[in-house]
Each structure stands twice: as structure tokens, then as C-alpha cells.
Amino acid sequence: MKNMKTDYNKIPLYAKRFKTPEGYEYQTIYEHTLELLNNMDRLFKEYSAEIEEGLKNLNIDIEKFKYLLKLAAIYHDLGKANALFQVKIRDKQKNKEVPRGKTLPHEVPHNFVSLVFVDINKIVEDIKNGKFTCDEGNILFYTIAFSHDREFDCDIEYFKNYIEQGVINFLNNPDLCWFLKYTSGSIDAQNIIENAIFSWKIIEQFKREMLKEIFNFEDYNTRFKVILKGFLHRLDHASSAQVTVEEKRIDDFPKKVELYLKEKGNFSSFKDFQKKAVELSEKNVILFAPTGSGKTEFGLNWAKKGKLVYTLPIRVSINAMYERFIKVFGEGKVGILHSDNLLYLMGNEKYQTEGELEFLFNNINLSKNLSLPIIVTTGDQVFTSALKWPGFEKIYSLFLYSKLVIDEPQSYSPEALAIIIKTLEEIIKINGKFCLMSATINPIILKYIGDHAEYLQAYSDEDLKSVHSHIVSIKENSILEAIEEIIYEAKRKNVLVICNTVKRSQEVFKAINEELKKSGEEIEIELLHSRFIESQRRKKELAVLNNKKTNSIFISTQIVEASLDIDFDILFTELSSADSLLQRMGRVYRKRRYDRKEPNVIIFTKDISGIGMVYEDEIVKRTWEFLKSFNGIFLTEYDKKRLNEYVYDINNISETKFMKKFRKAYEMLQYGYKAENRFEAQKVFRDVFTVCAIPRSVYEKHFDEILKNIEMLNQKNMKSIEKAKIISNIRDYTVNTPGYLISKSGVSIFDKNLGIFITNYDYDEQLGLISEDDESLNNNIL
């Protein structure tokens, strides 16, 4: 029997494949591209005024920009009309309908193939007619070719053959040639083959240029390229996730904040500096304000309307801020974005029914694609863009029309601070607006970006001199020698103990527990640090946030420092850097005036943990030099300001390790450092590589439950929501463990796909992960 000839015009050309309980569903190239164009309309409709103003400020014609973005959206996935991609995207049964061809041993990434569909003659005609410049035409080619981060390693003959054998047969397919009505171009086979030679050459040229490229944001073409490519990424990623690129905006932040505060009670009007935020909404702002004075309300008023990205350094602070914001704006308006946001949200008891989980899963997708009007996120999701990982333009382009708040930047390492400053310098040049606010403004920030922002103090220096909530006591001994004093204070107060390292916090917890057992005293004691398994950590975070008891001791580390609205009666803490120490003080008498005579902040200066590993020794020493003269007397808010300025005085710390690290990182970025991928960029920014691990004792104790979840996870045709819930159940048994510890303990892979290991370190439900290989503890720097 004679083989029937393949009718290529009847083969559906797919762009996307989605797994459902009933099997796979497919989306054609036309359907996917139509979603991009619909999302483009949504983006320009929702933020039309801001985008138009932003482009105008950059001397970019909006109609020209929209025309080129539309072309990029139409062309970017046409390259999927090739035999090898169409075989790959189909399931085993369907892939038989596409002839593969024996002369094509390996696939060329579709984004490079897409370039051959661009009608070069039409582009030349548009350039001649002044629709856009030759440089802007090249930017269009670049945007299409590098719409994905893929390797291009074929020679010109193979690329040409790939087009002739794998693409030409599909040229008259209705799922492909629809695009002609949008572009007024042509789809002639001979032109496509000729385009293959041109496309190969221009891709190779782009590759050479990318190797030596240093992004100069003073340059018009650089700005145009970053915004065009970034917008395409956002349209593509949102459409692929089947969500809108932008949800409905918020048009009056101050009004919603005011209504919320009135509902809470005891609110008459915004403070003067909070009112000033609205006036400054079109300017960059650096705000100095004491802890508990209302910085968050300032930031929201400054955002005024539209879209806001709100960054915080610590996960527990982000979770608390997210919960706070949804009370103000509603769940459908606020997204949370950090490495464990799925785990955090899945652990919330209010998401149980299928409908609630559907809403949650959609919210996570909207957050991931930056589609919600407010995104609360960790710094690494935004500032790593300065490391120019492939696709970084997606983040930068967002700030053409969005506002950025950087809350409590003092918690970042010197390297991360350099990355933040570099990011701000660059987004300023693409119309970005930022508000950086803290109770401890590092002078380095003022030096590098102070000229680009309005500096504002919530209160004048004279006012700050009259405000005090803390009397400091400097103790020349170890915090481990103060166990009896801590217990004595806890009999009548709510006590907070903060240590510099996890190991020291565990030692203090054990010492207090042993003393309580001896004395028979009944005082509630809680320990929170980053190395508890997730299910326990969530409960402990809620315990500190909701703690109102007056007969308790709460022991923790730096994770409770930044932007947590908690208020204790007395603090026992190890000496640390000025900014860290001031944030710790901000958790004691946060919104109360202290009128007693005995100290309520006790600082221990001997046998300090974490020096050299967590805190720079020179910075800690300068902190002590300033504070020692305040032993036993009130420390006003003005004194706190002077402390931070003294410790980080640039002229006096220029040769410290802190400044050397900062300068090295900043210079590296100036010279054009690029991270290979986003994961590497986040490792550089975080300065600590962590591994998701199950402690062996936890694994053995809960083996049956873990195994049951793994078996469920391997079931076929499972809904994405059900799968996410099961992954969340497994992650409940894991702890984020620093890479340097994992390398010493010995590990085994638990699940490669989930990225989970089993660590041999011991685990205790009261203490968390126990390690003898921890940070350096016995440091006497004074």
C-alpha cells in the first residue's frame, strides 16, 4: 500500500502544552500569540498614563514603542513552527502526526528560528519611512532572538538546512500564516531561506557583542532595548501562565490606608511627615524615621496610586507585611513573593476548600508574574537584576511605570548593599521612582544616591532629642552569664532575648530551661530562629507576632529585627553592629514612652557570637566605642541617629573589611559583571547558599507520612493545586540549612526533582537543627 503524503497544513502547530487531570491540553501558536496581544492591550490600558509619561521622559515615542512591541510579540514564537519542536511538545501518541526528518539530529531553539520569519524588506521599508531607526530595528531582532535564554551553537549550514527541512513545509499552515494580517509582511519560502543566512549572521554578531557588553543606561538604545525586551518577557510569561499581565490598579493608596486606620480606632489624621509623602510621590525619597513612627504608612502614601513593589530583607517580616496589606487593600490586590511563598501560603488554615485553593494558586501565579498592584517581596527578587542575569529586563522594565519601596535596607550585607545601590542608579535612568526608608540610614547610601533623592526626616533633630524609649546598660560579660537576671525580669515583664547566631540562641534557651527546672519557676519560654522545620517555624513566627504575655521569655536571632510590629518590655542582647542593634531596640517600648529609671536594653560585650561571620568586627567595635558613654542613661532618638552616623562614617571606615567588600562588589558591577542565571545572582545577593533538607531523625520519625505524600505526588493526571499541596506537606518536614553546614554533615538526596536532601545533623523540637560545625562563637574584640 502506498504511503499517503503528509498534509502539513492540517497539522496543528502548538506553542504550549498544559497537563490536566484528563490529559494534555494544547494551545496553538496563534492562540498563545493572541493572548500576548490581549495582555499588551490590558497593560497599556491599565497603566496608560504612567507608561506614556515614562516613555516621554525617556524621549521614546509611545506609538513607535507599541508598534515594535507588537511585532516582537507576534514574531517571538513563530519559530515553534518547526518539525523538531512540534514532535517534542506532543505526547507520545500525538507526536507521530509530525514527520521528524532524518537529516535533523538536534533541535535549534525556537527563539532563534523565529527570526527567519521577520520580513526584512518590510523592516527596511519601515526604517526608510521613519517608523523607527536602524538601531531600533536591530533591537527588535535582538528582542526576538533572545526572548529565551538558550544556547545557539549550530553552524550556518545546519541552521539553513534546519529551516529548509524543518520549517518550510509549514508555511501555508493556518496556525502560522495568520500573522500576515498583523504585520503586512510576506511569507515567501525563498525569502525565509535567505533570511536563515541573515539570521544566523546577526545572532552570531549579537553573541559577540553580548560578551563584551556593559549596559550604559545613559544611552537611548540601551534603555529602549531593556524596556522593549522586558515588556515582551512580561507579556510572554503572564500569557504562558494563563494570567493577566496586570490586574486592576489601585487609584488611591492614602484613602484606603486612612479608612483602615480609622477602622482600627485611635486615628484622627496622618502625621505631618506621612502627609508630606503624597507631595513627594513623583520624587525619589530617602526617609529617616525612628522605629514605630509610621514608615509603612509613609511608603504607602508615597506610592499614591498605580503599582507598588515593596521590598523587605527578612522572610518573617515579608509574611507579616503581606498579612497587614491584605487587611488594608484586600487579598485580590496584594501578592507575596519570596523563595518559600508557596509554602507559607499553603500553610495558612484559611485556604482549605477547593475554591479557596484555586484562589490561592491563582494569586501565587499573579504574584510570580508581577501582575498584582502590590507585590511584597524579598530584595533578591528585584535587586539581583543589577547582575544582568538573562531576562533581567523583565524586572527593570516594570519600573518604567511602577514605584519601589526599600524598607529597612540596613539588614543587607555590604555586597548586597552595593547591588541595591547599583540597581537604584540604573532604574532611575529608566524613569524608576524609589522610596528608601529606615531608622538607620547608612551614610554610604546618601553618598551614592543622595543626589538623586529628596532626604526627609520624620522629625527634626530637636524633636528627636526629646524622644526616648530606652535606657542602655552595657555589661562586660557574656549573655550566658545573665540567665538568672533574665528569669528575674521575666517574672513581671515580657522579655526579648536576641543572639547573633543560631547556636548561641540555642545555648541561652538550654541554660534558661535548666535554671527554670531547678527553681521550679513557671515562665513560658519560646525559641525562634531560621533552622526549625517549616511546620514548627510557622507556629513560632505567629507566637512572636501575637505575643501579649507579661510572664514570658522569647529568644531569637536577627530574624525578628526588621519591620515587625512587636513590642516587648525589656531586651537582652549580644553586642552587634549599630544598625542591627538599633533595630533590636525598636522591638522594645516600640510605641511607648519609657519613664522608669532602670535600663530596658541590656547589651553584653564579651564572648560575643558571630563576629567575623555575621558582623564585621571593626563595625561592632565602633558601635561599642560610641555606646559605652551612654551606659545607664537615656538614649534619645537623636543619639541613635548619631550612633549610626558615627559607626558608618565613610571617612573613618574606608579601610575596614565592610567598605572593602562594598567597593569590590560595586566596582565589579561597574565593570559589567553578569550572572549566568537568576539562581547564581540570588546566591551572590543573599551571600548565603541554603539547602532544603530533612533532618534524619525527622525523616525516620515521620517516614510513613512522608512516603505517603511521595506516592501521592507520583500519581498521574494530578491537578497542579493538589500537587502543590502535597509538596507543601513534604516541605513541612524540611529546614533551610546553610550550604557550609550541609557540606560538613554528610547528606543524601531525598528527592532530586524537589531539590530536597536528608541531613545527618540532629534535630530537637525545642532547639531546632543542632550543629557543632556552626558559626564562630567565642570572640572578644573589645
Side-chain angles (χ1 to χ4, degrees):
M1 185 175 175
K2 190 175 179 181
N3 290 333
M4 293 186 65
K5 189 175 180 181
T6 302
D7 188 346
Y8 285 89
N9 294 338
K10 292 184 178 179
I11 298 174
L13 295 177
Y14 298 132
K16 297 290 175 183
R17 182 175 78 178
F18 305 101
K19 193 174 184 180
T20 71
E22 292 75 34
Y24 288 111
E25 288 184 0
Y26 294 88
Q27 188 181 63
T28 65
I29 294 172
Y30 170 69
E31 291 167 339
H32 175 60
T33 307
L34 196 60
E35 284 197 8
L36 261 78
L37 295 176
N38 289 336
N39 260 326
M40 179 177 164
D41 289 341
R42 179 68 180 261
L43 171 62
F44 280 90
K45 179 183 177 183
E46 204 62 52
Y47 291 100
S48 57
E50 288 86 353
I51 292 173
E52 186 167 358
E53 183 183 358
L55 291 173
K56 183 180 179 182
N57 290 340
L58 300 178
N59 296 316
I60 297 173
D61 180 77
I62 188 167
E63 294 305 321
K64 174 199 296 183
F65 182 82
K66 287 170 73 173
Y67 178 64
L68 287 170
L69 180 60
K70 188 175 184 178
L71 288 180
I74 290 167
Y75 283 121
H76 89 288
D77 259 2
L78 294 185
K80 289 181 177 178
N82 77 76
L84 269 65
F85 181 87
Q86 291 302 314
V87 169
K88 179 182 72 173
I89 198 172
R90 285 161 160 75
D91 59 34
K92 290 181 180 179
Q93 188 175 355
K94 274 182 173 286
N95 69 16
K96 296 176 184 176
E97 68 187 21
V98 183
R100 178 190 172 106
K102 295 181 180 179
T103 60
L104 304 176
H106 62 85
E107 183 186 0
V108 176
H110 74 267
N111 44 298
F112 300 119
V113 179
S114 293
L115 211 56
V116 305
F117 288 94
V118 179
D119 188 339
I120 306 299
N121 293 328
K122 181 67 172 61
I123 296 296
V124 171
E125 182 184 332
D126 283 346
I127 292 171
K128 285 181 179 178
N129 292 334
K131 273 199 168 183
F132 48 85
T133 67
C134 185
D135 284 338
E136 289 160 349
N138 272 331
I139 290 169
L140 173 65
F141 293 140
Y142 172 85
T143 298
I144 296 166
F146 294 93
S147 57
H148 298 283
D149 177 29
R150 307 277 164 76
E151 287 294 322
F152 185 73
D153 57 359
C154 63
D155 61 31
I156 193 168
E157 287 304 318
Y158 185 80
F159 188 67
K160 184 169 176 287
N161 187 50
Y162 194 89
I163 304 304
E164 290 175 344
Q165 300 300 318
V167 174
I168 295 299
N169 290 327
F170 294 108
L171 290 187
N172 294 317
N173 189 296
D175 279 340
L176 179 63
C177 59
W178 55 267
F179 78 91
L180 293 175
K181 69 176 182 179
Y182 289 94
T183 63
S184 302
S186 66
I187 194 166
D188 178 79
Q190 186 57 40
N191 284 343
I192 296 287
I193 293 170
E194 290 173 3
N195 279 1
I197 299 170
F198 168 80
S199 298
W200 186 91
K201 289 180 178 178
I202 199 169
I203 292 166
E204 287 294 318
Q205 178 186 328
F206 285 145
K207 282 172 60 182
R208 289 191 297 272
E209 291 172 354
M210 287 164 67
L211 287 174
K212 58 184 180 181
E213 182 177 27
I214 297 176
F215 286 85
N216 174 18
F217 285 84
E218 298 284 355
D219 176 61
Y220 171 91
N221 290 326
T222 297
R223 298 194 299 263
F224 196 103
K225 179 168 69 173
V226 167
I227 298 169
L228 185 73
K229 188 167 181 279
F231 270 39
L232 179 63
H233 284 313
R234 293 204 61 225
L235 296 176
D236 190 24
H237 295 172
S239 300
S240 297
Q242 298 183 299
V243 297
T244 55
V245 69
E246 288 293 358
E247 289 287 282
K248 191 168 178 58
R249 60 186 288 148
I250 296 171
D251 275 326
D252 198 335
F253 280 81
K255 184 178 179 180
K256 291 191 176 293
V257 175
E258 185 176 11
L259 287 172
Y260 168 72
L261 293 174
K262 283 180 177 177
E263 287 173 6
K264 282 184 69 179
N266 298 321
F267 175 81
S268 56
S269 67
F270 288 118
K271 298 172 183 176
D272 288 343
F273 83 96
Q274 293 168 335
K275 293 175 183 176
K276 182 79 172 173
V278 178
E279 299 173 29
L280 297 172
S281 64
E282 295 306 312
K283 296 184 177 181
N284 300 317
V285 178
I286 297 174
L287 172 70
F288 166 73
T291 54
S293 60
K295 293 193 305 296
T296 304
E297 288 77 13
F298 178 94
L300 293 174
N301 284 356
W302 171 81
K304 193 175 179 181
K305 62 180 182 177
K307 190 174 182 76
L308 171 65
V309 178
Y310 196 107
T311 67
L312 281 157
I314 300 173
R315 193 181 78 171
V316 63
S317 306
I318 291 167
N319 296 343
M321 193 65 76
Y322 168 75
E323 296 293 342
R324 184 175 173 183
F325 282 179
I326 60 176
K327 291 175 183 175
V328 180
F329 301 99
E331 283 188 288
K333 297 292 185 183
V334 186
I336 182 171
L337 192 59
H338 57 65
S339 58
D340 287 320
N341 62 334
L342 175 64
L343 191 65
Y344 167 70
L345 292 170
M346 283 289 186
N348 196 317
E349 293 181 358
K350 69 181 176 183
Y351 302 115
Q352 296 299 322
T353 69
E354 186 170 341
E356 290 165 343
L357 288 171
E358 286 274 6
F359 171 83
L360 169 64
F361 206 67
N362 187 57
N363 185 275
I364 290 170
N365 266 334
L366 289 168
S367 301
K368 183 179 178 182
N369 287 283
L370 308 168
S371 302
L372 291 162
I374 300 176
I375 302 290
V376 189
T377 181
T378 44
D380 64 314
Q381 300 290 333
V382 175
F383 302 118
T384 52
S385 301
L387 298 171
K388 309 300 184 296
W389 45 268
F392 80 94
E393 299 95 339
K394 175 182 178 179
I395 305 298
Y396 268 28
S397 67
L398 184 70
F399 296 109
L400 176 75
Y401 62 95
S402 306
K403 301 281 188 68
L404 173 64
V405 166
I406 308 101
D407 194 354
E408 306 295 4
Q410 75 286 335
S411 298
Y412 296 109
S413 68
E415 293 90 345
L417 183 60
I419 294 169
I420 290 170
I421 287 172
K422 185 64 175 175
T423 304
L424 296 179
E425 288 175 338
E426 292 181 338
I427 68 169
I428 286 169
K429 293 169 185 172
I430 51 172
N431 198 59
K433 298 289 188 297
F434 71 86
C435 172
L436 186 149
M437 51 192 198
S438 178
T440 53
I441 300 293
N442 194 314
I444 296 170
I445 291 171
L446 295 175
K447 177 182 177 180
Y448 280 82
I449 58 173
D451 290 342
H452 303 289
E454 182 119 354
Y455 178 77
L456 179 68
Q457 284 192 189
Y459 305 101
S460 69
D461 283 350
E462 288 305 309
D463 288 336
L464 292 175
K465 289 175 183 178
S466 65
V467 179
H468 50 75
S469 300
H470 305 115
I471 297 178
V472 173
S473 173
I474 310 290
K475 296 289 184 85
E476 293 189 12
N477 56 3
S478 168
I479 197 169
L480 289 169
E481 299 174 281
I483 303 305
E484 291 182 4
E485 185 182 356
I486 292 171
I487 292 172
Y488 172 78
E489 293 292 351
K491 292 176 184 178
R492 54 200 174 91
K493 295 177 183 175
N494 192 358
V495 176
L496 177 63
V497 180
I498 300 184
C499 303
N500 294 348
T501 64
V502 170
K503 188 170 183 179
R504 178 51 55 86
S505 72
Q506 291 170 330
E507 291 173 343
V508 171
F509 179 85
K510 285 192 291 186
I512 292 175
N513 247 344
E514 289 170 6
E515 189 62 33
L516 288 174
K517 286 177 184 177
K518 287 179 190 176
S519 64
E521 297 280 357
E522 291 189 8
I523 296 175
E524 190 167 334
I525 178 171
E526 186 79 71
L527 173 65
L528 169 65
H529 53 69
S530 60
R531 295 187 206 159
F532 282 98
I533 61 173
E534 289 294 339
S535 57
Q536 286 187 298
R537 178 170 168 170
R538 280 198 301 273
K539 292 175 183 176
K540 289 174 176 290
E541 287 174 354
L542 286 173
V544 67
L545 288 170
N546 299 324
N547 187 23
K548 306 293 181 186
K549 297 171 184 173
T550 56
N551 185 232
S552 63
I553 302 170
F554 201 95
I555 305 166
S556 191
T557 57
Q558 300 89 339
I559 65 172
V560 299
E561 285 180 9
S563 286
L564 282 186
D565 194 8
I566 55 177
D567 192 7
F568 286 79
D569 296 325
I570 188 168
L571 168 68
F572 291 85
T573 177
E574 293 187 282
L575 180 65
S576 60
S577 63
D579 44 6
S580 171
L581 206 55
L582 292 173
Q583 289 298 323
R584 295 178 188 188
M585 292 182 195
R587 310 310 125 193
V588 175
Y589 272 81
R590 182 171 172 80
K591 296 177 182 178
R592 298 175 284 167
R593 188 179 179 90
Y594 191 63
D595 54 10
R596 298 181 183 179
K597 294 182 179 179
E598 67 270 18
N600 62 350
V601 174
I602 320 299
I603 302 172
F604 298 91
T605 62
K606 297 298 179 184
D607 185 28
I608 314 164
S609 66
I611 305 303
M613 281 286 289
V614 184
Y615 299 105
E616 298 292 342
D617 50 1
E618 300 104 319
I619 300 299
V620 176
K621 188 172 183 179
R622 288 179 63 81
T623 302
W624 174 79
E625 286 171 353
F626 184 94
L627 277 178
K628 63 184 179 181
S629 62
F630 287 88
N631 188 29
I633 61 175
F634 275 113
L635 190 69
T636 69
E637 292 301 322
Y638 180 71
D639 295 326
K640 293 178 184 178
K641 179 189 172 189
R642 289 199 304 121
L643 164 62
N644 194 63
E645 290 171 345
Y646 170 81
V647 170
Y648 288 102
D649 182 283
I650 296 174
N651 294 326
N652 289 311
I653 64 168
S654 60
E655 297 306 313
T656 62
K657 285 183 282 188
F658 184 96
M659 279 305 296
K660 287 177 180 177
K661 288 179 179 180
F662 172 86
R663 283 196 299 267
K664 182 178 179 181
Y666 185 79
E667 287 168 6
M668 176 182 73
L669 294 170
Q670 290 285 79
Y671 293 140
Y673 172 82
K674 298 184 185 75
E676 288 188 11
N677 51 56
R678 189 169 191 172
F679 177 72
E680 180 195 317
Q682 288 174 329
K683 275 175 60 180
V684 172
F685 184 83
R686 290 173 184 159
D687 201 31
V688 176
F689 171 61
T690 59
V691 173
C692 186
I694 304 175
R696 189 166 295 280
S697 59
V698 173
Y699 176 73
E700 291 170 353
K701 181 178 179 180
H702 299 281
F703 176 79
D704 291 339
E705 300 101 296
I706 295 171
L707 184 62
K708 181 182 176 182
N709 278 292
I710 288 293
E711 289 172 350
M712 291 171 63
L713 196 61
N714 291 328
Q715 291 177 5
K716 293 182 178 180
N717 300 327
M718 180 176 289
K719 288 183 178 179
S720 297
I721 295 173
E722 294 171 348
K723 187 175 182 179
K725 188 69 177 173
I726 293 168
I727 292 172
S728 174
N729 292 340
I730 296 169
R731 286 288 308 275
D732 275 347
Y733 300 106
T734 66
V735 56
N736 282 327
T737 311
Y740 71 86
L741 286 183
I742 285 290
S743 64
K744 294 178 181 179
S745 72
V747 294
S748 54
I749 296 175
F750 169 69
D751 191 296
K752 187 176 181 180
N753 292 328
L754 295 178
I756 297 175
F757 295 78
I758 296 175
T759 176
N760 293 324
Y761 283 123
D762 290 333
Y763 186 84
D764 182 276
E765 290 193 355
Q766 287 190 313
L767 296 172
L769 196 72
I770 300 169
S771 162
E772 295 304 318
D773 302 311
D774 219 321
E775 306 98 333
S776 175
L777 288 179
N778 299 314
N779 291 280
N780 292 297
I781 62 169
L782 308 180

